[in-house]
Amino acid sequence: MQNTTIAAIATAPGAGGIAVVRLSGPESYAVAARVFHPANPNKNVEEAKGYTALFGSFVEGDDAFDEGVALFFREPHSYTGEDVVELSCHGGSAVARRLVEACIAAGAAPAAPGEYTRRAFLNGKMSLTQAEAVMDIISADGKQGAALANASLSGALAKKIGAEKEALTGLQAHLAAWVDFPEEDVPELDDAHLHTVLEQVRQELDGLIKNYDAGAVLREGVDCAIVGRPNAGKSTLLNLLAGFDRAIVTPVAGTTRDVVEQAVQLGDIRLNLFDTAGLRQTDDAIEAEGIRRSWKKLDEAGLILAVFDGSEPLTREDLALAQRCAGRPAIALVNKEDKPTRFDAEIIAGDFAMVIPVCCQEEGSRKVIAAAVARLLGTNQIDPHAASLSGQRQLAAATRARDAVAGALDAVEGGFGLDAVSVCVDDALDALCELTGENASEAVINEVFERFCVGTPSFQKLSRFFSNLNLPSPDTGATMRANRRVAKHYAERRSPMTGIYGINYSNNYSLTGNYGYGYSAGAVSSAQPEEKGVVLNPGKSDVEKPGRKSSPAECETCKNRKYQDGSNEMVSFKSASHI
């Protein structure tokens, strides 16, 4: 359990019917009682039962600024495993932002990105792979991508990895007993059984790894370059896939001179389309730059749609394009199927995964192209309800585990002894435990939750500010907002770090502008609005003014501080306990 109560807007920014501000932590009900007054005066917020709702007004001091609904969840039966209150106000950034500020002024701390799901993970409500699936399902664009993320959220990947871990743990227990207790006459593992179990685990992990790319396409989409000679029909194809006239189409060769971008949903796949300049020899400097960019996009793309004019014979430019596409995920679209064909597709067939005749002016070609893309990228063979890997972290851990199991198999087949097999199995188990989060390092966990989008806008500023002072960051309880009301609240009530007697922000300055804070033995010392800086000498209430150099002799601890007059990052102390 975390000892702080956090608050943030849990819904997407912008105008809408409602916005939800979520509180989580031990003081959620107390904070909610300060900012939410039930319409029924006989109802008490702090005594509300879990899975209940109350209608009422949102207040800041004596000012009621909106009305809405409060939903209550008692720990451990909540998303985070803590006491949770969800405050539903009218949508729109002004009201929601004011409600968050009121919650923070009432004692909550601003939530870091992903902190709600991080708390759910730390409180045992979900595994690390399930936590990652939360972000995947939030960002999913297509039906299959959302289904894959939901399968992981439901525990499909965790269960699959758990089964492989159980198989390896059984082997490792027997191996460890045989290696460590030879006097106990532990029977040696049968090579055939050992090989069977290891091979089965290797195949399961290999299947997950092989399906990673297709799953990533469904979750994240793919960059797709549309390339070809001038007037082959590239811009017509872009308009067909986009469903509207995104690019200018004319009979004049070289109409498109720069890269035209458009995101489209093609079946279950999000394509980030790049319509490029026609590939040909030219003396025009502007067109030549466009062609250079075309080749660059082709080299970078995860999918290539090469468009050829089927009404004209194959040209040198067509051959050069086909050769650049060899070995790449590329589809040749022989356009203008509605006209007599003069294009010999067999000559280029060996350079492409598939060659398809189409007419980019006909709507039916869209379905044909969608099916071909799904077949090429392997998304048509993905079971959206099966376990799948998401993200480079999971892929790297699964690959390490697979390679370690392969090493164990090599040790068995090479007759290197059970000691060598045991070491490899141990490495595989470590990798699988890191994948599920059972032994993931703090750095790995931080990296996972940095992807999340939910958190108060000021959190990053606060984190940088405290980091510059070598103080605990806001998510450990040393939290304040750079505004007058919350600064006052923080100075009067929230000073949890040893040695800090008070931190005061001047009434007229924000975190991004001028500020002052002071240290005083046994008393709070505050900076004046027109001044900023730090108090250098314990027991004094003087404020260092901009342009006035500090004397290192005043304080031994602060000798090596970095001092920069007139900036937000004025001092970096060696010891937080001194401040």
Side-chain angles (χ1 to χ4, degrees):
M1 285 289 196
Q2 309 296 304
N3 58 8
T4 57
T5 296
I6 55 175
I9 301 172
T11 45
I18 63 170
V20 176
V21 173
R22 178 185 284 162
L23 292 162
S24 180
E27 298 297 318
S28 293
Y29 281 66
V31 172
R34 297 181 190 121
V35 301
F36 176 77
H37 292 171
N40 184 343
N42 296 322
K43 296 292 184 179
N44 188 322
V45 168
E46 296 195 55
E47 295 175 0
K49 295 181 179 179
Y51 301 116
T52 61
L54 291 174
F55 174 76
S57 300
F58 299 112
V59 300
E60 187 177 30
D62 296 327
D63 182 20
F65 59 87
D66 194 19
E67 60 182 18
V69 175
L71 297 174
F72 302 93
F73 305 86
R74 291 286 184 180
E75 60 93 10
H77 306 295
S78 70
Y79 178 74
T80 62
E82 305 171 330
D83 282 345
V84 169
V85 180
E86 293 187 351
L87 306 172
S88 298
C89 61
H90 286 98
S93 57
V95 174
R97 189 167 58 244
R98 185 173 182 182
L99 182 53
V100 170
E101 291 177 353
C103 289
I104 294 173
E115 190 169 0
Y116 294 110
T117 304
R118 184 188 187 115
R119 290 188 176 204
F121 165 67
L122 294 174
N123 291 331
K125 300 293 288 186
M126 61 178 66
S127 68
L128 192 59
T129 55
Q130 288 173 300
E132 289 171 302
V134 172
M135 194 63 221
D136 288 334
I137 202 167
I138 290 172
S139 58
D141 284 315
K143 181 179 176 182
Q144 273 195 300
L148 278 175
N150 186 57
S152 292
L153 183 60
S154 300
L157 180 60
K159 290 172 186 174
K160 189 173 198 55
I161 296 301
E164 308 316 317
K165 278 173 48 192
E166 186 176 347
L168 292 178
T169 300
L171 284 184
Q172 186 67 332
H174 199 141
L175 288 168
W178 185 85
V179 171
D180 296 339
F181 305 101
E183 70 280 0
E184 298 295 334
D185 294 326
V186 177
E188 186 174 349
L189 275 172
D190 177 69
D191 280 357
H193 173 69
L194 193 60
H195 189 280
T196 299
V197 174
L198 290 172
E199 181 60 28
Q200 182 179 354
V201 173
R202 187 194 65 77
Q203 288 180 6
E204 292 291 339
L205 293 175
D206 212 34
L208 285 173
I209 293 166
K210 286 180 178 177
N211 285 333
Y212 171 78
D213 286 339
V217 167
L218 289 175
R219 287 189 180 91
E220 304 165 14
V222 63
D223 288 347
C224 174
I226 301 175
V227 293
R229 287 193 296 116
N231 272 6
K234 302 182 300 301
S235 295
T236 305
L237 174 62
L238 173 67
N239 293 340
L240 171 71
L241 298 180
F244 65 97
D245 290 341
R246 175 64 179 86
I248 297 172
V249 177
T250 74
V252 179
T255 300
T256 302
R257 293 192 168 198
D258 201 353
V259 176
V260 179
E261 302 180 21
Q262 179 65 43
V264 304
Q265 194 71 27
L266 189 64
D268 287 311
I269 302 172
R270 176 188 171 90
L271 293 184
N272 302 314
L273 296 176
F274 298 92
D275 179 23
T276 63
L279 303 173
R280 66 174 177 178
Q281 293 294 324
T282 180
D283 294 327
D284 187 303
I286 298 175
E287 187 178 1
E289 174 59 21
I291 292 170
R292 185 193 67 79
R293 295 185 183 188
S294 299
W295 289 118
K296 186 173 184 290
K297 282 297 178 187
L298 184 149
D299 292 336
E300 296 172 347
L303 172 67
I304 301 167
L305 297 180
V307 184
F308 298 93
D309 188 342
S311 67
E312 296 183 1
L314 195 72
T315 66
R316 284 184 300 177
E317 287 84 1
D318 292 331
L319 288 172
L321 173 59
Q323 290 170 3
R324 288 286 287 268
C325 292
R328 302 288 307 284
I331 298 173
L333 301 176
V334 182
N335 190 26
K336 305 183 183 180
E337 187 186 19
D338 55 327
K339 296 182 179 181
T341 301
R342 300 175 61 194
F343 188 88
D344 188 352
E346 291 185 6
I347 297 176
I348 62 168
D351 295 320
F352 291 92
M354 55 191 78
V355 178
I356 303 172
V358 294
C359 177
C360 291
Q361 292 181 329
E362 296 179 359
E363 180 63 30
S365 295
R366 195 178 197 276
K367 292 184 178 179
V368 173
I369 296 169
V373 169
R375 197 159 63 247
L376 174 61
L377 298 179
T379 58
N380 63 330
Q381 298 178 357
I382 289 285
D383 178 0
H385 305 294
S388 62
L389 299 172
S390 170
Q392 289 295 323
R393 185 196 72 82
Q394 292 184 12
L395 176 64
T399 301
R400 287 200 307 275
R402 190 270 314 272
D403 292 346
V405 172
L409 280 167
D410 291 341
V412 172
E413 295 167 359
F416 293 112
L418 295 183
D419 281 355
V421 176
S422 179
V423 169
C424 292
V425 171
D426 222 14
D427 289 344
L429 284 169
D430 283 345
L432 292 180
C433 286
E434 183 177 321
L435 196 159
T436 58
E438 293 167 75
N439 67 351
S441 67
E442 186 70 17
V444 168
I445 294 172
N446 288 340
E447 183 179 346
V448 167
F449 291 102
E450 281 173 0
R451 296 175 54 215
F452 281 68
C453 57
V454 177
T456 57
S458 66
F459 181 83
Q460 297 298 336
K461 293 178 182 177
L462 287 167
S463 294
R464 287 194 296 270
F465 175 74
F466 278 92
S467 175
N468 290 332
L469 299 178
N470 288 338
L471 293 177
S473 62
D475 60 340
T476 61
T479 306
M480 52 185 152
R481 289 279 293 184
N483 62 54
R484 190 165 46 196
R485 294 180 302 275
V486 183
K488 182 175 183 295
H489 168 79
Y490 190 95
E492 291 175 352
R493 304 185 185 184
R494 297 179 64 82
S495 51
M497 289 85 71
T498 303
I500 295 184
Y501 290 81
I503 296 182
N504 281 296
Y505 276 80
S506 58
N507 288 342
N508 300 326
Y509 293 89
S510 71
L511 187 61
T512 55
N514 297 336
Y515 63 83
Y517 66 90
Y519 173 101
S520 166
V524 173
S525 168
S526 60
Q528 298 302 313
E530 69 275 8
E531 298 175 321
K532 61 180 181 178
V534 298
V535 175
L536 299 171
N537 197 357
K540 294 183 178 181
S541 60
D542 297 328
V543 175
E544 187 74 2
K545 294 187 176 182
R548 177 173 145 191
K549 299 298 182 183
S550 58
S551 171
E554 289 182 338
C555 176
E556 287 297 317
T557 308
C558 296
K559 269 187 179 180
N560 297 324
R561 66 182 176 275
K562 297 176 182 177
Y563 189 84
Q564 193 174 14
D565 288 320
S567 74
N568 280 344
E569 299 175 5
M570 295 185 68
V571 175
S572 176
F573 288 92
K574 290 171 60 179
S575 170
S577 64
H578 172 74
I579 302 175

